[in-house]
């Protein structure tokens, strides 16, 4: 008798297709696209990927009063992949949901900006020349300084705003150590994603995902999947949760010499998992110091276009608008959030999530430059008065320097490094 497949040894591998187009009638030959070489092993906690089929049967009146056998119709692969956030791990799913391309890592030094002076009280880094925004710095994208005379300033900072002449005064988190202008330094900013402003600049993706159980040498190879959203959950005394939703077109079952399909995929990442006990949450540019939870949901509303096809293949997997919403809960210490709801004030929301408190810790940032609170509900948490605020995000159309015209910016300090 064969043994049971053990979930602890299950491997989930993802790879993007060379072509994002879905042919309405046939599937690509998997050995050609996406091809069996490469792929990325994806860290996860669980998944519910499975092939589903529509079923139908006639409802004729029958003298034997017994039902007829039904038939199988259109195939789809709906599902979620559940896990924890960790820098570098979700580069492929994030770019697929954002329908964008990761920016290049930015490397600058004194030849670009002449000198850097740091002020602890003002929480600023001031450069003597150049334009940091024109050179590529953005609000919410961490940069790391190196080579400064004050060792404690050689660390990662998150830019919160740009001001002064040619955007040279950068307000940062955390506050630096005061240091006079230093003419020998390096600045490296990580990669980031934003929603493209036009259809022409959008990048579509489709992926194949293989679920392989080595103990029974069995693979389920899911084909032509679109990533259709994610849920981010930041809670007290908890790892940052991250779940991705997908909609795919078909599944192949592989055994023996055909399994696994992907050969020598890139090993899973080893970066640490952030917790809610580190980092920063900003609302309207001001730190929320007594927050008890944050949830962010992105939904692209994937739908399968079902058509007459002898193999049951859907004609396509179509995505809708980038819809972002969520909620945060905070202890009631003032009337800022209440007034924002009452007055329909638009705010920004930024979550900086480092893996530790170390000065150069890897990190992710989720920045929504334009949100609006749509409801708030008072409650009691640990005998303290709390308020839960539901919000929606939309594309930012303002002119603040270094703030992209986008609904969301996602930064990752490990991508491209």
């Amino acid at each position: 008798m064969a043994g049971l497949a053990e979930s602890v040894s299950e491997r989930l591998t993802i790879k993007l297709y060379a072509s994002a187009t879905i042919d309405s009638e046939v599937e690509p030959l998997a050995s050609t696209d996406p091809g069996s070489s490469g792929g990325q092993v994806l860290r996860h906690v669980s998944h519910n990927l499975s092939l589903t089929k529509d079923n139908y049967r006639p409802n004729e009146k029958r003298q034997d009063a017994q039902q007829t056998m039904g038939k199988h119709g259109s195939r789809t692969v709906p599902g979620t992949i559940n896990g924890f956030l960790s820098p570098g791990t979700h580069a492929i799913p994030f770019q697929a949901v954002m329908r964008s391309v990761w920016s290049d890592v930015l490397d600058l030094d004194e030849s670009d900006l002449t000198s850097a002076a740091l002020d602890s009280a003002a929480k600023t880094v001031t450069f003597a020349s150049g334009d940091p925004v024109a050179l590529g710095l953005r609000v919410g994208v961490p940069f790391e300084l190196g080579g400064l005379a004050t060792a404690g300033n050689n660390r990662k900072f998150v830019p919160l705003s740009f001001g002064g002449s040619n955007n040279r005064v950068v307000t940062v988190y955390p506050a630096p150590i005061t240091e006079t202008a230093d003419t020998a330094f390096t600045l490296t900013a990580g990669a980031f994603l934003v929603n493209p402003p036009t259809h022409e600049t959008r990048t579509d993706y489709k992926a194949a995902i293989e679920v392989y159980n080595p103990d029974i040498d069995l693979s389920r190879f899911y084909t032509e999947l679109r990533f259709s959203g994610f849920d981010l959950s930041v809670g007290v005394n908890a790892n940052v949760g991250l779940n991705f939703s997908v909609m795919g077109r078909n599944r192949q079952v592989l055994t023996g010499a055909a399994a696994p399909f992907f050969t020598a995929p890139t090993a899973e990442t080893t970066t640490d998992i952030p917790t809610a006990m580190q980092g920063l949450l900003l609302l309207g540019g001001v730190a929320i110091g007594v927050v008890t939870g944050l949830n962010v949901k992105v939904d692209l509303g994937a739908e399968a276009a079902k058509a007459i096809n002898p193999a049951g293949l859907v004609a396509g997997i179509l995505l809708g608008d980038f819809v972002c919403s969520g909620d945060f809960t905070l202890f009631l210490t003032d009337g800022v959030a209440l007034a924002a709801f009452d007055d329909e004030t638009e705010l920004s929301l930024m979550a900086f999530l480092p893996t530790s408190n170390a000065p150069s810790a890897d990190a992710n940032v989720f920045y929504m430059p334009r949100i609006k609170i749509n409801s708030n509900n008072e409650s009691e948490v640990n005998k303290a008065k709390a308020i839960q605020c539901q919000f929606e995000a939309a594309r930012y159309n303002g002119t603040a320097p270094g703030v992209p015209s986008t609904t969301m910016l996602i930064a990752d300090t490990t991508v491209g490094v």
Side-chain angles (χ1 to χ4, degrees):
M1 181 179 291
L4 300 179
E6 297 181 2
S7 62
V8 294
S9 62
E10 188 171 81
R11 188 186 79 180
L12 193 155
T13 305
I14 178 174
K15 185 180 179 182
L16 294 176
Y17 284 78
S19 171
T21 301
I22 293 180
D23 187 297
S24 61
E25 296 182 350
V26 297
E27 292 183 276
L29 186 64
S31 59
T32 302
D33 191 16
S36 61
S37 63
Q40 169 73 59
V41 178
L42 187 66
R43 291 160 60 178
H44 68 290
V45 173
S46 63
H47 71 85
N48 61 0
L49 298 174
S50 62
L51 176 67
T52 66
K53 296 182 183 180
D54 292 336
N55 291 281
Y56 59 96
R57 62 167 52 86
N59 59 349
E60 297 174 320
K61 304 293 184 183
R62 294 172 56 96
Q63 292 300 303
D64 59 10
Q66 300 179 57
Q67 78 171 16
T68 57
M69 182 65 72
K71 300 180 186 300
H72 288 185
S74 299
R75 301 173 174 225
T76 54
V77 181
T80 58
I81 302 170
N82 309 309
F84 298 118
L85 175 71
S86 53
T89 299
H90 307 98
I92 292 174
F94 275 139
Q95 72 182 42
V97 172
M98 297 289 281
R99 291 183 279 189
S100 186
V101 177
W102 287 97
S103 71
D104 292 331
V105 172
L106 187 65
D107 290 306
L108 304 174
D109 57 25
E110 65 276 2
S111 66
D112 303 290
L113 300 163
T114 303
S115 67
L118 297 92
D119 188 308
S120 178
K123 302 179 182 179
T124 57
V125 179
T126 301
F127 300 105
S129 69
D131 183 335
V133 173
L135 289 168
L137 292 186
R138 295 290 182 268
V139 171
V141 180
F143 64 81
E144 184 165 4
L145 294 176
L148 293 168
T150 302
N153 285 328
N154 294 316
R155 60 163 301 148
K156 284 188 173 74
F157 294 97
V158 182
L160 306 181
S161 65
F162 295 89
S165 175
N166 292 309
N167 308 310
R168 292 170 189 163
V169 180
V170 187
T171 302
V172 297
Y173 174 86
I177 301 169
T178 297
E179 180 180 353
T180 57
D182 195 326
T183 57
F185 67 94
T186 60
L187 183 155
T188 303
F192 65 91
L193 292 165
V194 296
N195 307 115
T198 65
H199 175 81
E200 288 74 21
T201 57
R202 192 181 76 194
T203 303
D204 292 321
Y205 299 91
K206 69 177 182 182
I209 295 179
E210 179 184 33
V211 179
Y212 176 57
N213 292 96
D215 40 14
I216 62 170
D217 196 26
L218 174 69
S219 283
R220 281 83 73 216
F221 184 65
Y222 297 98
T223 58
E224 298 192 281
L225 293 102
R226 304 276 198 207
F227 279 88
S228 57
F230 65 83
D231 294 277
L232 181 76
S233 176
V234 183
V236 175
N237 297 322
N239 295 309
V240 178
L242 179 64
N243 306 323
F244 285 94
S245 55
V246 299
M247 175 70 78
R249 201 178 186 201
N250 206 355
R251 181 194 68 190
Q252 300 175 25
V253 178
L254 307 175
T255 60
F261 178 80
F262 289 119
T263 59
T266 301
E268 59 191 12
T269 61
T270 58
T271 48
D272 203 357
I273 298 170
T275 75
M277 310 308 287
Q278 294 131 357
L280 173 72
L281 182 63
L282 291 177
L283 180 65
V286 178
I288 304 176
V290 198
V291 66
T292 66
L294 168 68
N295 298 290
V296 179
K297 179 180 179 61
V298 172
D299 183 13
L300 275 61
E303 292 191 19
K306 298 176 181 180
I308 296 174
N309 184 290
L313 295 176
V314 297
I317 305 293
L318 306 177
L319 302 177
D321 293 337
F322 186 93
V323 177
C324 179
S325 61
D327 63 80
F328 56 86
T329 304
L330 50 86
F331 289 117
L332 204 56
T333 59
D334 55 39
V336 173
L338 294 170
F341 173 60
D342 293 349
D343 301 334
E344 204 172 347
T345 304
E346 293 186 357
L347 304 165
S348 61
L349 180 64
M350 180 190 296
F352 167 55
L353 302 169
T355 55
S356 74
N357 289 326
S360 296
D362 295 325
N364 287 107
V365 174
F366 297 84
Y367 176 44
M368 289 147 279
R370 185 186 178 200
I371 72 162
K372 183 168 64 176
I373 298 173
N374 285 333
S375 68
N376 53 33
N377 303 299
E378 296 187 25
S379 62
E380 185 178 298
V381 178
N382 304 127
K383 297 184 179 180
K385 198 67 176 179
I387 181 170
Q388 184 184 52
C389 299
Q390 290 79 34
F391 68 87
E392 64 177 345
R395 181 181 175 183
Y396 175 73
N397 294 313
T399 58
V403 180
S405 179
T406 188
T407 299
M408 176 178 284
L409 177 149
I410 301 175
D412 191 315
T413 62
T414 69
V415 172
V417 176

